[in-house]
Amino acid sequence: MTDEPIRPAATVVLWRESPDGPQVLMGQRGEGAVFMPSKFVFPGGRVDAEDHAAAREGFLSPDCARRLMLVVPPDAPSPGTLVAAALRELTEETGLNLAAMEHPSLRFIFRAITPPGRTRRFDARFLLAHADSLDGDHKDFSLASGELQHLSWLGLPQARALDLPFITEVVLAEVAALVSGSDQPGVPFFDNSGPTPQFRRLV
């Protein structure tokens, strides 16, 4: 059986402060979904052809853009294309829009390639953004497509108690460290592109 191709993908991890501590926005995939049914995830998805023509600039620092292009195949999408995909998926799945800011509002914090043998395989980049970067009410999901159910702002302990994909659990731990003020010694990268899994840091 031929293994699934690895498709580029991008995900937005939105967070905000609350009186009870940091919260992240998550939703539940439908039980009939081919990939990760019923799991709670961040909004995101694969890069589409339209994203290449709609590349978005100004949302990333030069360092984040550079790290997005480390250890990639020759046909990898540009940083602006990955941002376009992330923002499109955010709008489709939540009805929320990230506004263009005077300073970069997205931070590249994690990358993971789905292991072989899965029904779908993605080279997923996770981009962190604060809710203050949203254009409009960050509690209004009325324009969401319905692809993600039970959209909610969740405290980090509450989120980590849900039915999560393994990588989402790892990303949540990374987010918890970052929003508490910790820095990263490079962006963590779970590289399952070859026959042997590798853990890298993109510096």
Side-chain angles (χ1 to χ4, degrees), residues 16 94-97 136-144 151 153:
R16 69 180 187 182
T94 70
L96 302 177
N97 291 287
D137 183 358
H138 55 255
K139 300 182 293 294
D140 180 8
F141 307 124
S142 59
L143 298 179
L151 284 164
W153 289 97

Side-chain angles (χ1 to χ4, degrees), residues 85-107:
L87 299 188
R88 175 182 54 74
E89 289 283 347
L90 175 68
T91 300
E92 289 176 1
E93 294 183 348
T94 70
L96 302 177
N97 291 287
L98 210 63
M101 310 286 283
E102 292 183 2
H103 53 82
S105 53
L106 288 170
R107 178 177 176 179

Side-chain angles (χ1 to χ4, degrees), residues 9-203:
T11 293
V12 178
V13 183
L14 278 175
W15 77 282
R16 69 180 187 182
E17 295 96 350
S18 83
D20 299 318
Q23 297 179 325
V24 290
L25 180 62
M26 302 191 77
Q28 186 179 30
R29 292 180 60 80
E31 62 181 17
V34 174
F35 187 69
M36 297 189 300
S38 301
K39 297 285 188 180
F40 279 84
V41 296
F42 306 111
R46 61 179 287 182
V47 174
D48 288 345
E50 66 195 74
D51 299 319
H52 293 274
R56 306 288 296 275
E57 308 300 333
F59 287 86
L60 296 166
S61 71
D63 256 357
C64 284
R66 178 184 59 78
R67 288 172 176 164
L68 279 167
M69 297 310 294
L70 296 175
V71 196
V72 297
D75 60 348
S78 70
T81 296
L82 290 165
V83 169
L87 299 188
R88 175 182 54 74
E89 289 283 347
L90 175 68
T91 300
E92 289 176 1
E93 294 183 348
T94 70
L96 302 177
N97 291 287
L98 210 63
M101 310 286 283
E102 292 183 2
H103 53 82
S105 53
L106 288 170
R107 178 177 176 179
F108 176 38
I109 63 164
F110 203 90
R111 180 178 168 196
I113 296 178
T114 313
R118 307 297 172 89
T119 54
R120 296 285 187 276
R121 297 187 70 196
F122 297 100
D123 185 346
R125 286 78 161 183
F126 293 80
L127 307 172
L128 183 67
H130 193 278
D132 285 349
S133 302
L134 292 170
D135 184 12
D137 183 358
H138 55 255
K139 300 182 293 294
D140 180 8
F141 307 124
S142 59
L143 298 179
S145 66
E147 184 176 343
L148 290 183
Q149 304 160 16
H150 309 299
L151 284 164
S152 303
W153 289 97
L154 302 168
L156 297 178
Q158 183 183 2
R160 293 171 83 168
L162 296 172
D163 184 9
L164 305 173
F166 166 71
I167 285 298
T168 304
E169 293 182 29
V170 180
V171 174
L172 274 171
E174 199 72 17
V175 170
L178 289 171
V179 301
S180 70
S182 299
D183 203 4
Q184 284 182 318
V187 175
F189 175 24
F190 281 39
D191 185 359
N192 290 294
S193 58
T196 305
Q198 297 187 63
F199 175 74
R200 308 174 184 267
R201 284 198 180 269
L202 304 173
V203 297

